[in-house]
Amino acid sequence: APNFQRVPYLPPLLTAAAHTGARLAELTRSRVDDWDLAAGTVVLREKERSRAGDTFRRVPVSPRLAAAVRDWLGGRHPGGGLA
């Protein structure tokens, strides 16, 4: 079993993947500002659709995912712009 104390970002990352259907690469590119929990959405940055640059898609955030992200960003996040 993974030791989540050593990898604290893993539970919110896997919850986000399960609840949004997003690829892990999309989630690891996400920024704190991409998460609008009040509106219940996250903006995902895609690389696959365009070689010219990032494309974006807005995905709904479930209540369980919102709770996991609030917990992560509210206290366990190490800081910086990346979520």
Side-chain angles (χ1 to χ4, degrees):
N3 183 347
F4 292 129
Q5 292 177 353
R6 296 175 93 190
V7 192
Y9 62 85
L10 201 54
L13 179 66
L14 295 178
T15 302
H19 284 251
T20 64
R23 298 171 193 87
L24 291 178
E26 291 173 321
L27 293 169
T28 57
R29 281 192 294 270
S30 72
R31 299 181 178 146
V32 173
D33 294 341
D34 293 341
W35 293 87
D36 186 352
L37 299 179
T41 61
V42 60
V43 174
L44 298 175
R45 299 162 185 275
E46 302 173 313
K47 290 270 188 194
E48 292 81 12
R49 287 193 185 183
S50 171
R51 290 180 187 235
D54 291 347
T55 57
F56 305 93
R57 64 185 169 115
R58 189 171 300 275
V59 177
V61 172
S62 70
R64 183 170 179 181
L65 175 55
V69 172
R70 269 192 206 94
D71 179 52
W72 171 246
L73 295 178
R76 299 183 337 183
H77 188 270
L82 295 176

